[in-house]
Amino acid sequence: MNHRDRIRLLINRHARLDAALMRSAQLNAVQVVALEYLANANRFSRSPSHVADYLGTTRGTMSQTLKSLEAKGLVSEERLADDRRSIRYRLTEAGRAALRAANADRCADTGMNDADQAMLERLLARSLADRVARTGTKMFGICRECRHHELRQNGQRYCHLLNVVLAEEEAEQLCHEQVPA
Amino acid sequence: MNHRDRIRLLINRHARLDAALMRSAQLNAVQVVALEYLANANRFSRSPSHVADYLGTTRGTMSQTLKSLEAKGLVSEERLADDRRSIRYRLTEAGRAALRAANADRCADTGMNDADQAMLERLLARSLADRVARTGTKMFGICRECRHHELRQNGQRYCHLLNVVLAEEEAEQLCHEQVPA
DNA sequence: CTTTATAGTAGCGAGTCGATACTATTGCAA
DNA sequence: TTGCAATAGTATCGACTCGCTACTATAAAG
């Protein structure tokens, strides 16, 4: 057992215990993480394929999960005009409420001070970035920290990959095309 | 989104992506973590109930998982003489091989230096300890770091809770009764 | 000796999971 | 323009997890 193995074990147990805390809610772990992703992803990154990539599963599996969330009224699907094959999911108000409830269930305070939490977040993000680089998956980081993101002098934000002007709040959202700067 | 929420998201995605890496093996995530637990737990902590506690699931669910592992020949069950209700699972040689293979599949190097890995492990352990304290579950730490563990002058190790002499290698094993010193 | 607690299991329904095969749409190229 | 390949999503399959309830067997408490 080296550091790497123990870290993996800790991460897996953490995730399991976290999933157990959601037993009270009407949702399971994958459903909550999918909801959380959709709540934070930008308008270019909310298709079944994107959620599947984010969680390392398949389109088929995620399609089922999203359909079950839709049946519960927590997300709604929206067909795109420019590509009629694609779907863009969006949280309903009930979905946002369910997400808030699920997060509230999972105990608020960690007992760790802010500096340690920031350090833990930073190290986890680094570890995840390493894995992403090794396995050729995508990072799904926030738009603002992307290579293609430009904050112009007039305060406008622009994506050089998709060639679109971005709304201010989109700078903090997750993007499937994100490449760390 | 505060630190706590982002940490939870990172941990959950890490665990998902890790599970996806085991797709090639003949095992899924829960089965691997259960095997890993049984490989590292001491002789007092290898019942279905203990594995269930460790992973925050139920006896019934874990019973099924362990039966499926037994059907694959990766673990063997052993009835206890002193309490004929109880079962103690043990990895077979095939089980140890499967565990090694699953770990090898999950990419060796992390790209992080040793100090950062140690720090990440420490912070994850702290975070887990906090959660355990809050939710009233058990820590399952290693024997050597337990309140009931004593290293005597003659080098012998003793557990004051179970009142037994411990073998040297048991000092590093996981115990369901462990309480951090 | 009865009652209660504990350890494990069987069986249920919902849901994930990976895989395959399918439809519909889009894009490319001859 | 037509034809073919790539893409996005889904239906369906079998295996499995998951939480739950009900059950058996054993142990402990009174």
Side-chain angles (χ1 to χ4, degrees):
Chain A
M1 287 274 279
N2 52 26
H3 281 314
R4 175 177 54 86
D5 291 332
R6 283 193 296 266
I7 288 170
R8 195 163 51 203
L9 212 49
L10 282 166
I11 287 177
N12 275 297
R13 183 144 99 102
H14 242 300
R16 290 282 153 194
L17 293 179
D18 190 51
L21 283 182
M22 297 185 282
R23 212 173 287 180
S24 53
Q26 74 278 32
L27 299 170
N28 63 33
V30 190
Q31 293 173 333
V32 171
V33 180
L35 276 182
E36 202 132 19
Y37 172 78
L38 288 175
N40 295 309
N42 70 17
R43 58 195 150 112
F44 312 110
S45 313
R46 283 192 296 238
S47 73
S49 300
H50 295 141
V51 192
D53 272 0
Y54 180 74
L55 290 177
T57 183
T58 61
R59 282 177 298 143
T61 298
M62 193 44 64
S63 178
Q64 294 178 72
T65 298
L66 293 172
K67 288 291 175 196
S68 90
L69 286 174
E70 193 187 18
K72 293 177 182 176
L74 304 181
V75 300
S76 64
E77 75 174 48
E78 177 185 343
R79 232 77 202 190
L80 297 193
D82 54 324
D83 185 342
R84 296 213 318 240
R85 295 171 299 179
S86 297
I87 286 183
R88 182 183 297 170
Y89 279 98
R90 169 182 302 198
L91 260 69
T92 63
E93 194 43 59
R96 273 184 285 276
L99 194 50
R100 276 193 301 272
N103 282 336
D105 279 354
R106 292 191 272 172
C107 270
D109 34 31
T110 57
M112 286 175 74
N113 65 45
D114 202 66
D116 281 350
Q117 285 190 50
M119 174 78 85
L120 177 53
E121 180 186 339
R122 199 177 59 78
L123 288 171
L124 278 171
R126 276 249 333 261
S127 168
L128 192 59
D130 285 343
R131 161 196 295 278
V132 160
R134 280 201 316 279
T135 56
T137 53
K138 293 185 172 183
M139 191 59 210
F140 286 92
I142 66 178
C143 177
R144 181 171 47 73
E145 298 171 354
C146 177
R147 173 183 304 171
H148 308 106
H149 176 275
E150 182 196 2
L151 176 54
R152 289 177 168 163
Q153 304 218 331
N154 58 5
Q156 194 184 62
R157 297 177 182 275
Y158 191 80
C159 174
H160 285 278
L161 181 70
L162 306 174
N163 294 315
V164 290
V165 174
L166 303 162
E168 181 59 27
E169 68 269 21
E170 290 181 311
E172 303 294 327
Q173 293 180 338
L174 307 180
C175 181
H176 71 113
E177 295 287 8
Q178 203 256 16
V179 180
Chain B
M1 287 276 276
N2 51 27
H3 281 311
R4 175 176 54 86
D5 291 333
R6 282 192 297 266
I7 288 170
R8 196 164 51 205
L9 213 49
L10 282 166
I11 286 177
N12 275 298
R13 184 145 99 101
H14 242 299
R16 291 281 152 197
L17 294 180
D18 190 51
L21 283 183
M22 298 185 282
R23 214 172 286 180
S24 53
Q26 75 277 30
L27 299 170
N28 63 34
V30 190
Q31 293 172 332
V32 171
V33 181
L35 276 182
E36 202 133 21
Y37 171 78
L38 288 175
N40 294 308
N42 69 16
R43 58 194 149 115
F44 312 111
S45 312
R46 279 188 245 133
S47 73
S49 301
H50 295 141
V51 192
D53 272 0
Y54 179 75
L55 290 178
T57 183
T58 61
R59 281 177 298 143
T61 296
M62 193 44 64
S63 178
Q64 295 178 71
T65 297
L66 293 173
K67 289 290 174 198
S68 91
L69 286 174
E70 193 187 17
K72 292 178 183 176
L74 304 181
V75 300
S76 63
E77 76 174 46
E78 177 185 341
R79 231 77 201 189
L80 297 194
D82 55 323
D83 184 342
R84 297 214 316 241
R85 292 172 302 180
S86 297
I87 286 182
R88 181 183 296 170
Y89 278 98
R90 168 181 304 196
L91 260 69
T92 62
E93 195 42 59
R96 274 182 285 274
L99 193 50
R100 278 193 301 271
N103 282 337
D105 277 354
R106 292 190 272 172
C107 269
D109 34 30
T110 56
M112 287 175 73
N113 65 44
D114 202 67
D116 281 351
Q117 285 189 49
M119 173 78 87
L120 177 53
E121 180 187 341
R122 199 176 59 77
L123 288 170
L124 278 172
R126 276 248 335 259
S127 168
L128 192 59
D130 285 344
R131 163 194 294 277
V132 160
R134 282 200 317 279
T135 55
T137 53
K138 292 186 171 182
M139 191 58 209
F140 285 90
I142 66 177
C143 178
R144 181 170 49 74
E145 297 171 355
C146 178
R147 173 183 302 172
H148 307 108
H149 176 275
E150 183 197 0
L151 175 54
R152 289 178 168 162
Q153 303 216 332
N154 58 5
Q156 195 186 60
R157 298 178 181 276
Y158 191 80
C159 175
H160 285 278
L161 181 69
L162 306 175
N163 295 314
V164 291
V165 174
L166 302 162
E168 182 58 29
E169 70 269 19
E170 290 182 312
E172 302 295 326
Q173 294 180 337
L174 306 181
C175 180
H176 71 113
E177 295 289 7
Q178 202 257 16
V179 181

